[in-house]
Amino acid sequence: VMASFVASRTETGLKKTDIFLIAAEARRDLQSGNKVIDASIGSFLYDNKKLGSVSKIKESLKESITDRLGYPPVKGYEEYKEAVLRWLLKDRYEEVLSSKKVAFGATIGGTGACYIAFNTFLDKGDTVLLPEPMWSNYTQIADKSYVKHDRYELFDLDNNFNIASLKERIEVVKKSSKHLLIVINDPCQNPTGFSMVEKEHEELISLLNEEGKDIAITVLYDLAYLDFLTGGKKRYYLFDMLLDRKLNFLPAFAFSCSKSFGGYGLRNGALFALAEDEFTKKEVETS
């Protein structure tokens, strides 16, 4: 028997959890004549089953796709950074750039943003707190990043955000760690579609500001489905809530162009953090 050069950890449940393998199996099943409900696609389809897209995006890509085929800067082009931040921050873009130190990097989709965040804000063996239920790929990203994952209950008995469960898990982790990463997949959480209201974000920020006195907390707000809430027409109220107060934690954001603009195969995303000082910004960008 030949020796295997692949680590055993790579075998963990791949065939059961890989959504692309599952989607391919569903397509084959459909082609064989079986009646199939394919809930694995993870993308927006019109009623005629065609992939949803934005016409202006497709037109722009046709005009410019071959303009820049060389290696881009590691952090991405400045034009891309500005475009993403202007899309998200709207009329507060200039204010944010003058009042905050924005650490920014282009990523291979929103998944790439999550992977980089797990590796940037946690040492090996540290813990990321994930919601339950959740997008199951978070656990695979944690495994590949050599970090542990714990879970907080997303809902309380009234189907509101379970702030008590999150506090309980933070209290446990901070006893043995110097760093903590918390994933908040909001709005339109995958897979539940749940969106936190402003009061729940207020309670979360208050909790994080208090806990942040004892442990270095980074919150990764996964904004993959943001535009399913705002339609790109209004600024997400969370940005105002974070910008208008002093924070004892670092807010970071994972953004996905595929969900917002229908460019799934292009794998465009971004990871950025709103730092209070230049030291933190440089530390994040060079990690």
Side-chain angles (χ1 to χ4, degrees), residues 212-247:
K213 297 174 182 177
D214 302 323
I215 184 174
I217 297 177
T218 301
V219 179
L220 180 64
Y221 291 98
D222 185 348
L223 305 176
Y225 297 93
L226 172 67
D227 288 296
F228 286 80
L229 178 75
T230 67
K233 297 176 182 177
K234 60 182 180 180
R235 182 176 56 249
Y236 185 31
Y237 51 74
L238 175 63
F239 288 118
D240 292 326
M241 299 172 73
L242 294 172
L243 292 171
D244 293 337
R245 67 197 72 198
K246 180 73 174 176
L247 302 175

PDB file of all heavy atoms in Angstrom, residues 212-247:
ATOM      1  N   GLY A 212     -15.230  42.888  26.015  1.00  0.00           N
ATOM      2  CA  GLY A 212     -13.989  43.300  25.372  1.00  0.00           C
ATOM      3  C   GLY A 212     -12.977  43.925  26.315  1.00  0.00           C
ATOM      4  O   GLY A 212     -11.828  44.156  25.931  1.00  0.00           O
ATOM      5  N   LYS A 213     -13.386  44.192  27.545  1.00  0.00           N
ATOM      6  CA  LYS A 213     -12.457  44.699  28.553  1.00  0.00           C
ATOM      7  C   LYS A 213     -11.541  43.589  29.063  1.00  0.00           C
ATOM      8  O   LYS A 213     -10.480  43.867  29.620  1.00  0.00           O
ATOM      9  CB  LYS A 213     -13.229  45.304  29.725  1.00  0.00           C
ATOM     10  CG  LYS A 213     -14.090  46.511  29.357  1.00  0.00           C
ATOM     11  CD  LYS A 213     -14.929  46.970  30.541  1.00  0.00           C
ATOM     12  CE  LYS A 213     -15.838  48.136  30.172  1.00  0.00           C
ATOM     13  NZ  LYS A 213     -16.703  48.537  31.326  1.00  0.00           N
ATOM     14  N   ASP A 214     -11.962  42.340  28.889  1.00  0.00           N
ATOM     15  CA  ASP A 214     -11.223  41.201  29.441  1.00  0.00           C
ATOM     16  C   ASP A 214     -10.503  40.365  28.390  1.00  0.00           C
ATOM     17  O   ASP A 214      -9.562  39.631  28.719  1.00  0.00           O
ATOM     18  CB  ASP A 214     -12.182  40.285  30.207  1.00  0.00           C
ATOM     19  CG  ASP A 214     -12.913  41.000  31.326  1.00  0.00           C
ATOM     20  OD1 ASP A 214     -12.301  41.866  31.972  1.00  0.00           O
ATOM     21  OD2 ASP A 214     -14.103  40.699  31.532  1.00  0.00           O
ATOM     22  N   ILE A 215     -10.950  40.421  27.143  1.00  0.00           N
ATOM     23  CA  ILE A 215     -10.390  39.577  26.092  1.00  0.00           C
ATOM     24  C   ILE A 215     -10.479  40.319  24.760  1.00  0.00           C
ATOM     25  O   ILE A 215     -11.408  41.117  24.549  1.00  0.00           O
ATOM     26  CB  ILE A 215     -11.151  38.225  26.011  1.00  0.00           C
ATOM     27  CG1 ILE A 215     -10.511  37.298  24.983  1.00  0.00           C
ATOM     28  CG2 ILE A 215     -12.620  38.433  25.735  1.00  0.00           C
ATOM     29  CD1 ILE A 215     -11.124  35.891  24.969  1.00  0.00           C
ATOM     30  N   ALA A 216      -9.497  40.103  23.893  1.00  0.00           N
ATOM     31  CA  ALA A 216      -9.498  40.754  22.570  1.00  0.00           C
ATOM     32  C   ALA A 216     -10.532  40.071  21.686  1.00  0.00           C
ATOM     33  O   ALA A 216     -10.341  38.939  21.252  1.00  0.00           O
ATOM     34  CB  ALA A 216      -8.116  40.668  21.939  1.00  0.00           C
ATOM     35  N   ILE A 217     -11.646  40.769  21.432  1.00  0.00           N
ATOM     36  CA  ILE A 217     -12.753  40.204  20.655  1.00  0.00           C
ATOM     37  C   ILE A 217     -12.806  40.839  19.277  1.00  0.00           C
ATOM     38  O   ILE A 217     -12.807  42.062  19.145  1.00  0.00           O
ATOM     39  CB  ILE A 217     -14.102  40.424  21.361  1.00  0.00           C
ATOM     40  CG1 ILE A 217     -14.133  39.704  22.715  1.00  0.00           C
ATOM     41  CG2 ILE A 217     -15.255  39.951  20.481  1.00  0.00           C
ATOM     42  CD1 ILE A 217     -15.422  39.945  23.499  1.00  0.00           C
ATOM     43  N   THR A 218     -12.848  40.005  18.273  1.00  0.00           N
ATOM     44  CA  THR A 218     -13.157  40.449  16.914  1.00  0.00           C
ATOM     45  C   THR A 218     -14.483  39.825  16.527  1.00  0.00           C
ATOM     46  O   THR A 218     -14.719  38.641  16.762  1.00  0.00           O
ATOM     47  CB  THR A 218     -12.079  40.011  15.910  1.00  0.00           C
ATOM     48  OG1 THR A 218     -10.821  40.556  16.298  1.00  0.00           O
ATOM     49  CG2 THR A 218     -12.428  40.500  14.504  1.00  0.00           C
ATOM     50  N   VAL A 219     -15.365  40.621  15.963  1.00  0.00           N
ATOM     51  CA  VAL A 219     -16.644  40.115  15.474  1.00  0.00           C
ATOM     52  C   VAL A 219     -16.610  40.140  13.951  1.00  0.00           C
ATOM     53  O   VAL A 219     -16.381  41.189  13.342  1.00  0.00           O
ATOM     54  CB  VAL A 219     -17.828  40.951  15.980  1.00  0.00           C
ATOM     55  CG1 VAL A 219     -19.145  40.404  15.416  1.00  0.00           C
ATOM     56  CG2 VAL A 219     -17.879  40.934  17.494  1.00  0.00           C
ATOM     57  N   LEU A 220     -16.797  38.984  13.352  1.00  0.00           N
ATOM     58  CA  LEU A 220     -16.884  38.899  11.905  1.00  0.00           C
ATOM     59  C   LEU A 220     -18.354  38.941  11.516  1.00  0.00           C
ATOM     60  O   LEU A 220     -19.094  37.977  11.697  1.00  0.00           O
ATOM     61  CB  LEU A 220     -16.247  37.615  11.384  1.00  0.00           C
ATOM     62  CG  LEU A 220     -16.305  37.438   9.858  1.00  0.00           C
ATOM     63  CD1 LEU A 220     -15.506  38.533   9.154  1.00  0.00           C
ATOM     64  CD2 LEU A 220     -15.817  36.063   9.445  1.00  0.00           C
ATOM     65  N   TYR A 221     -18.784  40.085  11.001  1.00  0.00           N
ATOM     66  CA  TYR A 221     -20.135  40.213  10.479  1.00  0.00           C
ATOM     67  C   TYR A 221     -20.126  39.694   9.035  1.00  0.00           C
ATOM     68  O   TYR A 221     -19.561  40.325   8.149  1.00  0.00           O
ATOM     69  CB  TYR A 221     -20.588  41.675  10.508  1.00  0.00           C
ATOM     70  CG  TYR A 221     -20.805  42.235  11.895  1.00  0.00           C
ATOM     71  CD1 TYR A 221     -19.814  42.995  12.525  1.00  0.00           C
ATOM     72  CD2 TYR A 221     -22.002  42.030  12.575  1.00  0.00           C
ATOM     73  CE1 TYR A 221     -20.014  43.526  13.793  1.00  0.00           C
ATOM     74  CE2 TYR A 221     -22.210  42.555  13.844  1.00  0.00           C
ATOM     75  CZ  TYR A 221     -21.212  43.301  14.440  1.00  0.00           C
ATOM     76  OH  TYR A 221     -21.414  43.828  15.704  1.00  0.00           O
ATOM     77  N   ASP A 222     -20.721  38.534   8.839  1.00  0.00           N
ATOM     78  CA  ASP A 222     -20.794  37.955   7.497  1.00  0.00           C
ATOM     79  C   ASP A 222     -22.000  38.565   6.787  1.00  0.00           C
ATOM     80  O   ASP A 222     -23.157  38.230   7.069  1.00  0.00           O
ATOM     81  CB  ASP A 222     -20.943  36.429   7.605  1.00  0.00           C
ATOM     82  CG  ASP A 222     -20.895  35.741   6.243  1.00  0.00           C
ATOM     83  OD1 ASP A 222     -20.968  36.445   5.210  1.00  0.00           O
ATOM     84  OD2 ASP A 222     -20.789  34.506   6.210  1.00  0.00           O
ATOM     85  N   LEU A 223     -21.709  39.466   5.825  1.00  0.00           N
ATOM     86  CA  LEU A 223     -22.749  40.251   5.154  1.00  0.00           C
ATOM     87  C   LEU A 223     -23.169  39.653   3.815  1.00  0.00           C
ATOM     88  O   LEU A 223     -23.695  40.366   2.957  1.00  0.00           O
ATOM     89  CB  LEU A 223     -22.236  41.681   4.907  1.00  0.00           C
ATOM     90  CG  LEU A 223     -21.734  42.469   6.112  1.00  0.00           C
ATOM     91  CD1 LEU A 223     -21.188  43.822   5.654  1.00  0.00           C
ATOM     92  CD2 LEU A 223     -22.825  42.657   7.139  1.00  0.00           C
ATOM     93  N   ALA A 224     -22.963  38.349   3.636  1.00  0.00           N
ATOM     94  CA  ALA A 224     -23.187  37.733   2.325  1.00  0.00           C
ATOM     95  C   ALA A 224     -24.552  38.080   1.742  1.00  0.00           C
ATOM     96  O   ALA A 224     -24.682  38.317   0.534  1.00  0.00           O
ATOM     97  CB  ALA A 224     -23.018  36.221   2.421  1.00  0.00           C
ATOM     98  N   TYR A 225     -25.576  38.118   2.584  1.00  0.00           N
ATOM     99  CA  TYR A 225     -26.944  38.301   2.071  1.00  0.00           C
ATOM    100  C   TYR A 225     -27.498  39.688   2.371  1.00  0.00           C
ATOM    101  O   TYR A 225     -28.715  39.884   2.372  1.00  0.00           O
ATOM    102  CB  TYR A 225     -27.856  37.218   2.669  1.00  0.00           C
ATOM    103  CG  TYR A 225     -27.432  35.834   2.259  1.00  0.00           C
ATOM    104  CD1 TYR A 225     -26.568  35.085   3.061  1.00  0.00           C
ATOM    105  CD2 TYR A 225     -27.857  35.272   1.059  1.00  0.00           C
ATOM    106  CE1 TYR A 225     -26.150  33.821   2.683  1.00  0.00           C
ATOM    107  CE2 TYR A 225     -27.444  34.005   0.668  1.00  0.00           C
ATOM    108  CZ  TYR A 225     -26.584  33.286   1.491  1.00  0.00           C
ATOM    109  OH  TYR A 225     -26.174  32.033   1.103  1.00  0.00           O
ATOM    110  N   LEU A 226     -26.616  40.637   2.598  1.00  0.00           N
ATOM    111  CA  LEU A 226     -27.019  41.993   2.957  1.00  0.00           C
ATOM    112  C   LEU A 226     -28.017  42.589   1.974  1.00  0.00           C
ATOM    113  O   LEU A 226     -29.027  43.183   2.353  1.00  0.00           O
ATOM    114  CB  LEU A 226     -25.779  42.888   3.049  1.00  0.00           C
ATOM    115  CG  LEU A 226     -26.026  44.384   3.227  1.00  0.00           C
ATOM    116  CD1 LEU A 226     -26.646  44.646   4.586  1.00  0.00           C
ATOM    117  CD2 LEU A 226     -24.734  45.162   3.076  1.00  0.00           C
ATOM    118  N   ASP A 227     -27.752  42.430   0.682  1.00  0.00           N
ATOM    119  CA  ASP A 227     -28.586  43.107  -0.315  1.00  0.00           C
ATOM    120  C   ASP A 227     -29.938  42.443  -0.521  1.00  0.00           C
ATOM    121  O   ASP A 227     -30.792  42.991  -1.215  1.00  0.00           O
ATOM    122  CB  ASP A 227     -27.817  43.226  -1.634  1.00  0.00           C
ATOM    123  CG  ASP A 227     -26.705  44.253  -1.523  1.00  0.00           C
ATOM    124  OD1 ASP A 227     -27.021  45.431  -1.322  1.00  0.00           O
ATOM    125  OD2 ASP A 227     -25.529  43.877  -1.596  1.00  0.00           O
ATOM    126  N   PHE A 228     -30.138  41.284   0.090  1.00  0.00           N
ATOM    127  CA  PHE A 228     -31.474  40.711   0.083  1.00  0.00           C
ATOM    128  C   PHE A 228     -32.367  41.441   1.084  1.00  0.00           C
ATOM    129  O   PHE A 228     -33.585  41.341   1.027  1.00  0.00           O
ATOM    130  CB  PHE A 228     -31.423  39.217   0.426  1.00  0.00           C
ATOM    131  CG  PHE A 228     -30.900  38.380  -0.698  1.00  0.00           C
ATOM    132  CD1 PHE A 228     -29.536  38.285  -0.946  1.00  0.00           C
ATOM    133  CD2 PHE A 228     -31.767  37.696  -1.536  1.00  0.00           C
ATOM    134  CE1 PHE A 228     -29.041  37.522  -1.986  1.00  0.00           C
ATOM    135  CE2 PHE A 228     -31.277  36.935  -2.585  1.00  0.00           C
ATOM    136  CZ  PHE A 228     -29.924  36.844  -2.817  1.00  0.00           C
ATOM    137  N   LEU A 229     -31.744  42.203   1.995  1.00  0.00           N
ATOM    138  CA  LEU A 229     -32.492  43.023   2.951  1.00  0.00           C
ATOM    139  C   LEU A 229     -32.629  44.451   2.443  1.00  0.00           C
ATOM    140  O   LEU A 229     -33.710  45.025   2.465  1.00  0.00           O
ATOM    141  CB  LEU A 229     -31.793  43.019   4.318  1.00  0.00           C
ATOM    142  CG  LEU A 229     -32.447  43.889   5.391  1.00  0.00           C
ATOM    143  CD1 LEU A 229     -33.714  43.205   5.906  1.00  0.00           C
ATOM    144  CD2 LEU A 229     -31.483  44.130   6.550  1.00  0.00           C
ATOM    145  N   THR A 230     -31.532  45.022   1.976  1.00  0.00           N
ATOM    146  CA  THR A 230     -31.526  46.445   1.607  1.00  0.00           C
ATOM    147  C   THR A 230     -31.747  46.691   0.121  1.00  0.00           C
ATOM    148  O   THR A 230     -32.079  47.810  -0.266  1.00  0.00           O
ATOM    149  CB  THR A 230     -30.178  47.080   1.994  1.00  0.00           C
ATOM    150  OG1 THR A 230     -29.141  46.515   1.183  1.00  0.00           O
ATOM    151  CG2 THR A 230     -29.869  46.844   3.459  1.00  0.00           C
ATOM    152  N   GLY A 231     -31.534  45.679  -0.711  1.00  0.00           N
ATOM    153  CA  GLY A 231     -31.634  45.895  -2.150  1.00  0.00           C
ATOM    154  C   GLY A 231     -30.605  46.871  -2.681  1.00  0.00           C
ATOM    155  O   GLY A 231     -30.728  47.394  -3.789  1.00  0.00           O
ATOM    156  N   GLY A 232     -29.553  47.120  -1.878  1.00  0.00           N
ATOM    157  CA  GLY A 232     -28.512  48.054  -2.304  1.00  0.00           C
ATOM    158  C   GLY A 232     -28.956  49.505  -2.297  1.00  0.00           C
ATOM    159  O   GLY A 232     -28.211  50.392  -2.708  1.00  0.00           O
ATOM    160  N   LYS A 233     -30.163  49.779  -1.814  1.00  0.00           N
ATOM    161  CA  LYS A 233     -30.715  51.132  -1.899  1.00  0.00           C
ATOM    162  C   LYS A 233     -30.495  51.947  -0.632  1.00  0.00           C
ATOM    163  O   LYS A 233     -30.535  53.169  -0.663  1.00  0.00           O
ATOM    164  CB  LYS A 233     -32.212  51.059  -2.212  1.00  0.00           C
ATOM    165  CG  LYS A 233     -32.515  50.422  -3.566  1.00  0.00           C
ATOM    166  CD  LYS A 233     -34.017  50.277  -3.788  1.00  0.00           C
ATOM    167  CE  LYS A 233     -34.302  49.588  -5.121  1.00  0.00           C
ATOM    168  NZ  LYS A 233     -35.752  49.370  -5.333  1.00  0.00           N
ATOM    169  N   LYS A 234     -30.304  51.263   0.484  1.00  0.00           N
ATOM    170  CA  LYS A 234     -30.123  51.992   1.734  1.00  0.00           C
ATOM    171  C   LYS A 234     -28.970  51.395   2.517  1.00  0.00           C
ATOM    172  O   LYS A 234     -28.604  50.238   2.336  1.00  0.00           O
ATOM    173  CB  LYS A 234     -31.401  51.969   2.566  1.00  0.00           C
ATOM    174  CG  LYS A 234     -31.880  50.567   2.949  1.00  0.00           C
ATOM    175  CD  LYS A 234     -33.176  50.635   3.735  1.00  0.00           C
ATOM    176  CE  LYS A 234     -33.660  49.236   4.107  1.00  0.00           C
ATOM    177  NZ  LYS A 234     -34.916  49.258   4.871  1.00  0.00           N
ATOM    178  N   ARG A 235     -28.398  52.195   3.392  1.00  0.00           N
ATOM    179  CA  ARG A 235     -27.271  51.746   4.196  1.00  0.00           C
ATOM    180  C   ARG A 235     -27.778  50.852   5.326  1.00  0.00           C
ATOM    181  O   ARG A 235     -28.791  51.137   5.960  1.00  0.00           O
ATOM    182  CB  ARG A 235     -26.528  52.953   4.758  1.00  0.00           C
ATOM    183  CG  ARG A 235     -25.289  52.597   5.584  1.00  0.00           C
ATOM    184  CD  ARG A 235     -24.528  53.835   6.035  1.00  0.00           C
ATOM    185  NE  ARG A 235     -25.366  54.749   6.780  1.00  0.00           N
ATOM    186  CZ  ARG A 235     -25.753  55.948   6.333  1.00  0.00           C
ATOM    187  NH1 ARG A 235     -25.382  56.361   5.146  1.00  0.00           N
ATOM    188  NH2 ARG A 235     -26.522  56.737   7.067  1.00  0.00           N
ATOM    189  N   TYR A 236     -27.067  49.794   5.564  1.00  0.00           N
ATOM    190  CA  TYR A 236     -27.408  48.872   6.644  1.00  0.00           C
ATOM    191  C   TYR A 236     -27.238  49.604   7.968  1.00  0.00           C
ATOM    192  O   TYR A 236     -26.177  50.153   8.259  1.00  0.00           O
ATOM    193  CB  TYR A 236     -26.491  47.654   6.560  1.00  0.00           C
ATOM    194  CG  TYR A 236     -26.778  46.543   7.518  1.00  0.00           C
ATOM    195  CD1 TYR A 236     -28.069  46.271   7.965  1.00  0.00           C
ATOM    196  CD2 TYR A 236     -25.752  45.728   7.968  1.00  0.00           C
ATOM    197  CE1 TYR A 236     -28.324  45.226   8.825  1.00  0.00           C
ATOM    198  CE2 TYR A 236     -25.996  44.664   8.828  1.00  0.00           C
ATOM    199  CZ  TYR A 236     -27.283  44.433   9.257  1.00  0.00           C
ATOM    200  OH  TYR A 236     -27.528  43.391  10.108  1.00  0.00           O
ATOM    201  N   TYR A 237     -28.274  49.622   8.800  1.00  0.00           N
ATOM    202  CA  TYR A 237     -28.256  50.415  10.029  1.00  0.00           C
ATOM    203  C   TYR A 237     -27.147  50.010  10.991  1.00  0.00           C
ATOM    204  O   TYR A 237     -26.716  50.800  11.826  1.00  0.00           O
ATOM    205  CB  TYR A 237     -29.605  50.351  10.748  1.00  0.00           C
ATOM    206  CG  TYR A 237     -30.150  48.963  10.987  1.00  0.00           C
ATOM    207  CD1 TYR A 237     -29.622  48.125  11.967  1.00  0.00           C
ATOM    208  CD2 TYR A 237     -31.212  48.482  10.240  1.00  0.00           C
ATOM    209  CE1 TYR A 237     -30.122  46.859  12.192  1.00  0.00           C
ATOM    210  CE2 TYR A 237     -31.735  47.210  10.448  1.00  0.00           C
ATOM    211  CZ  TYR A 237     -31.192  46.407  11.423  1.00  0.00           C
ATOM    212  OH  TYR A 237     -31.694  45.151  11.632  1.00  0.00           O
ATOM    213  N   LEU A 238     -26.637  48.776  10.866  1.00  0.00           N
ATOM    214  CA  LEU A 238     -25.561  48.344  11.757  1.00  0.00           C
ATOM    215  C   LEU A 238     -24.336  49.233  11.622  1.00  0.00           C
ATOM    216  O   LEU A 238     -23.651  49.512  12.612  1.00  0.00           O
ATOM    217  CB  LEU A 238     -25.192  46.890  11.476  1.00  0.00           C
ATOM    218  CG  LEU A 238     -23.993  46.343  12.257  1.00  0.00           C
ATOM    219  CD1 LEU A 238     -24.261  46.353  13.756  1.00  0.00           C
ATOM    220  CD2 LEU A 238     -23.640  44.941  11.791  1.00  0.00           C
ATOM    221  N   PHE A 239     -24.038  49.675  10.389  1.00  0.00           N
ATOM    222  CA  PHE A 239     -22.861  50.531  10.201  1.00  0.00           C
ATOM    223  C   PHE A 239     -22.977  51.797  11.033  1.00  0.00           C
ATOM    224  O   PHE A 239     -22.021  52.218  11.681  1.00  0.00           O
ATOM    225  CB  PHE A 239     -22.679  50.877   8.718  1.00  0.00           C
ATOM    226  CG  PHE A 239     -22.213  49.731   7.881  1.00  0.00           C
ATOM    227  CD1 PHE A 239     -22.986  49.245   6.842  1.00  0.00           C
ATOM    228  CD2 PHE A 239     -20.999  49.114   8.136  1.00  0.00           C
ATOM    229  CE1 PHE A 239     -22.557  48.175   6.065  1.00  0.00           C
ATOM    230  CE2 PHE A 239     -20.557  48.049   7.380  1.00  0.00           C
ATOM    231  CZ  PHE A 239     -21.345  47.578   6.341  1.00  0.00           C
ATOM    232  N   ASP A 240     -24.147  52.426  11.039  1.00  0.00           N
ATOM    233  CA  ASP A 240     -24.335  53.634  11.842  1.00  0.00           C
ATOM    234  C   ASP A 240     -24.148  53.336  13.324  1.00  0.00           C
ATOM    235  O   ASP A 240     -23.543  54.117  14.061  1.00  0.00           O
ATOM    236  CB  ASP A 240     -25.735  54.205  11.606  1.00  0.00           C
ATOM    237  CG  ASP A 240     -25.915  54.747  10.206  1.00  0.00           C
ATOM    238  OD1 ASP A 240     -24.939  55.287   9.642  1.00  0.00           O
ATOM    239  OD2 ASP A 240     -27.021  54.618   9.653  1.00  0.00           O
ATOM    240  N   MET A 241     -24.661  52.206  13.775  1.00  0.00           N
ATOM    241  CA  MET A 241     -24.562  51.853  15.187  1.00  0.00           C
ATOM    242  C   MET A 241     -23.114  51.636  15.608  1.00  0.00           C
ATOM    243  O   MET A 241     -22.721  51.991  16.729  1.00  0.00           O
ATOM    244  CB  MET A 241     -25.383  50.597  15.460  1.00  0.00           C
ATOM    245  CG  MET A 241     -26.862  50.771  15.164  1.00  0.00           C
ATOM    246  SD  MET A 241     -27.803  49.228  15.254  1.00  0.00           S
ATOM    247  CE  MET A 241     -27.836  48.984  17.017  1.00  0.00           C
ATOM    248  N   LEU A 242     -22.303  51.082  14.717  1.00  0.00           N
ATOM    249  CA  LEU A 242     -20.898  50.835  15.034  1.00  0.00           C
ATOM    250  C   LEU A 242     -20.049  52.095  14.898  1.00  0.00           C
ATOM    251  O   LEU A 242     -19.061  52.269  15.618  1.00  0.00           O
ATOM    252  CB  LEU A 242     -20.349  49.741  14.120  1.00  0.00           C
ATOM    253  CG  LEU A 242     -20.945  48.341  14.312  1.00  0.00           C
ATOM    254  CD1 LEU A 242     -20.449  47.403  13.220  1.00  0.00           C
ATOM    255  CD2 LEU A 242     -20.592  47.783  15.689  1.00  0.00           C
ATOM    256  N   LEU A 243     -20.425  52.959  13.972  1.00  0.00           N
ATOM    257  CA  LEU A 243     -19.622  54.144  13.703  1.00  0.00           C
ATOM    258  C   LEU A 243     -19.826  55.241  14.736  1.00  0.00           C
ATOM    259  O   LEU A 243     -18.937  56.067  14.951  1.00  0.00           O
ATOM    260  CB  LEU A 243     -19.955  54.696  12.306  1.00  0.00           C
ATOM    261  CG  LEU A 243     -19.537  53.831  11.127  1.00  0.00           C
ATOM    262  CD1 LEU A 243     -20.129  54.375   9.829  1.00  0.00           C
ATOM    263  CD2 LEU A 243     -18.029  53.747  11.021  1.00  0.00           C
ATOM    264  N   ASP A 244     -20.973  55.241  15.388  1.00  0.00           N
ATOM    265  CA  ASP A 244     -21.332  56.367  16.243  1.00  0.00           C
ATOM    266  C   ASP A 244     -21.022  56.148  17.718  1.00  0.00           C
ATOM    267  O   ASP A 244     -21.594  56.806  18.582  1.00  0.00           O
ATOM    268  CB  ASP A 244     -22.828  56.684  16.079  1.00  0.00           C
ATOM    269  CG  ASP A 244     -23.144  57.206  14.680  1.00  0.00           C
ATOM    270  OD1 ASP A 244     -22.220  57.726  14.026  1.00  0.00           O
ATOM    271  OD2 ASP A 244     -24.305  57.071  14.246  1.00  0.00           O
ATOM    272  N   ARG A 245     -20.117  55.209  18.014  1.00  0.00           N
ATOM    273  CA  ARG A 245     -19.763  54.985  19.420  1.00  0.00           C
ATOM    274  C   ARG A 245     -18.356  54.406  19.528  1.00  0.00           C
ATOM    275  O   ARG A 245     -17.803  53.893  18.558  1.00  0.00           O
ATOM    276  CB  ARG A 245     -20.775  54.058  20.096  1.00  0.00           C
ATOM    277  CG  ARG A 245     -20.765  52.637  19.576  1.00  0.00           C
ATOM    278  CD  ARG A 245     -22.015  51.901  19.974  1.00  0.00           C
ATOM    279  NE  ARG A 245     -23.149  52.400  19.213  1.00  0.00           N
ATOM    280  CZ  ARG A 245     -24.417  52.218  19.548  1.00  0.00           C
ATOM    281  NH1 ARG A 245     -24.710  51.579  20.662  1.00  0.00           N
ATOM    282  NH2 ARG A 245     -25.394  52.669  18.807  1.00  0.00           N
ATOM    283  N   LYS A 246     -17.799  54.518  20.706  1.00  0.00           N
ATOM    284  CA  LYS A 246     -16.498  53.925  20.993  1.00  0.00           C
ATOM    285  C   LYS A 246     -16.681  52.445  21.229  1.00  0.00           C
ATOM    286  O   LYS A 246     -17.594  52.016  21.933  1.00  0.00           O
ATOM    287  CB  LYS A 246     -15.892  54.587  22.234  1.00  0.00           C
ATOM    288  CG  LYS A 246     -14.537  54.054  22.626  1.00  0.00           C
ATOM    289  CD  LYS A 246     -13.438  54.511  21.679  1.00  0.00           C
ATOM    290  CE  LYS A 246     -12.066  54.074  22.184  1.00  0.00           C
ATOM    291  NZ  LYS A 246     -10.999  54.433  21.236  1.00  0.00           N
ATOM    292  N   LEU A 247     -15.792  51.630  20.647  1.00  0.00           N
ATOM    293  CA  LEU A 247     -15.933  50.183  20.737  1.00  0.00           C
ATOM    294  C   LEU A 247     -14.736  49.558  21.442  1.00  0.00           C
ATOM    295  O   LEU A 247     -13.593  49.976  21.235  1.00  0.00           O
ATOM    296  CB  LEU A 247     -16.061  49.570  19.341  1.00  0.00           C
ATOM    297  CG  LEU A 247     -17.222  50.073  18.468  1.00  0.00           C
ATOM    298  CD1 LEU A 247     -17.135  49.452  17.079  1.00  0.00           C
ATOM    299  CD2 LEU A 247     -18.568  49.777  19.113  1.00  0.00           C
TER     300      LEU A 247
END
